[in-house]
């Protein structure tokens, strides 16, 4: 079955064609440059840019192929951008005469891993991006329980805000990731926000700890110090994410772990996840970076599972805060 997946929930305009788990095309048009000077995604600008780009992106992904279904993300995400994706999906389905499947954006992130390698259920999934830090227990396709989520900032948001404090620009994740390789992660000890007794996360305290550290320093940190601060901050984030996720897998007696979202592109996070999982006899699946960030292929893959279960129905209403 060949499925067109359309993704517009945040700042990537993407369309992809996936056939029985194999990617035939995956076009991603990023709006990072548009939002850079605002240090974050501006919803109205994002919606307008999606509208300008979506037809070209869908056409390029389709490349005149025949398809059997169209999938789009109905939420969570930004309202204006989500509506653009839905309209594009309905228009494509009408002209190609095929059914439409509305997909939960986070289920898309879970199935992104399956586009790279075989995954198995039950699993624990960690979805970490600029908007999410969600820990899920998946009993099977379509059967999820939210174990925990962030109580304040998402992990990617913390990266972006800390990068701004250090004068490193937007988005903060890739630059902190890069600079950390030259820094000493033990130079500053930031308390790990483990939140014992809960599967929730909290990154606002870590961000404030960085702010106080810079204030107490009383001057601009030197280049070397910036790299040390990046590495120390990153180590606290990575240790928290990895330790809670693997602890959840052990607690619920699950052997499979999936990681997705923009922050899953982080080199140190990937390295520590793999090392720790091997140590504990768990299998961790982290897709290549292009499939970690938002993309249409992951939605097509999630839709494929729904179609195989005979579920084309369900609400098409876009919902920015769509619950599981
Ligand atoms: O999934 P995504 O592209 O968009 C949404 O937020 O939905 O994720 C973007 C977030 C940003 O906060 C960015 O700083 C972070 O992912 N990010 C990273 C890395 N690449 C992107 N964080 C840490 N390390 C990276 N290499
Ligand atoms: Zn996402």
């Amino acid at each position: 079955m060949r499925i067109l997946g359309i993704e517009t929930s945040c700042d990537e305009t993407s369309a992809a064609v996936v056939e029985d788990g194999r990617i035939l095309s995956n076009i991603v048009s990023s709006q990072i440059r548009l939002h850079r000077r605002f240090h974050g995604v501006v919803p109205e600008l994002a919606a307008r840019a999606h509208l300008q780009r979506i037809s070209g992106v869908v056409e390029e992904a389709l490349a005149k192929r025949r398809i059997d279904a169209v999938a789009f993300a109905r939420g969570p995400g930004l309202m204006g951008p989500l509506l653009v994706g839905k309209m594009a999906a309905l228009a494509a389905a009408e002209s190609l005469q095929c059914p439409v499947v509305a997909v939960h954006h986070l289920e898309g992130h879970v199935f992104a891993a399956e586009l790279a390698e075989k995954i198995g259920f039950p699993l624990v999934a960690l979805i970490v991006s600029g908007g999410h830090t969600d820990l899920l227990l998946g009993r099977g396709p379509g059967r999820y329980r939210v174990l925990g989520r962030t109580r304040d900032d998402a992990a990617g948001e913390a990266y972006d805000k800390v990068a701004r404090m250090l004068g490193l620009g937007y988005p903060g994740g890739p630059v902190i990731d890069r600079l950390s390789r030259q820094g000493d992660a033990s130079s500053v000890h930031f308390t790990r926000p483990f939140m014992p007794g809960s599967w929730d996360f909290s990154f606002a305290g870590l961000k404030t700890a960085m702010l106080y550290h810079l204030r107490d320093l009383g001057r601009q940190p030197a280049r070397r110090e910036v790299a040390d601060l990046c590495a120390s901050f990153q180590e606290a984030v990575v240790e928290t994410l990895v330790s809670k996720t693997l602890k959840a897998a052990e607690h619920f007696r699950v052997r499979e772990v999936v990681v997705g979202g923009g922050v899953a592109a982080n080199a140190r996070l990937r390295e520590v996840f793999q090392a720790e999982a091997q140590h504990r006899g768990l299998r961790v699946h982290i897709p290549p970076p292009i499939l970690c960030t938002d993309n249409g292929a992951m939605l097509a893959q999630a839709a494929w599972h729904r179609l195989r279960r005979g579920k084309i129905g369900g609400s098409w209403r876009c919902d920015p805060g769509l619950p599981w």
Side-chain angles (χ1 to χ4, degrees), residues 1 3 101-104 107-108 110-111 114 121 138-144 299-314 324:
M1 190 185 291
I3 304 172
V101 185
V103 176
H104 195 289
E107 185 173 31
V110 172
F111 281 114
E114 201 182 39
F121 285 89
R139 293 282 180 208
R143 292 172 57 211
Y144 308 97
L299 299 175
Q301 185 64 7
W304 185 45
H305 283 280
R306 293 199 53 178
L307 288 164
R308 289 207 299 181
R309 297 200 308 277
K311 298 221 171 203
I312 22 174
W324 275 88

Side-chain angles (χ1 to χ4, degrees), residues 9-12 105 109 128-132 155-157 159-160 170-175 177 234 261-267 292-294:
S9 57
C10 189
D11 63 341
E12 267 99 17
H105 177 80
H109 276 300
V128 259
S129 69
H132 302 280
E157 195 180 348
Y159 265 96
D160 294 338
Y170 174 86
V175 58
D177 189 356
Q234 175 160 283
V263 181
N266 186 273
C292 288
T293 48
D294 292 344

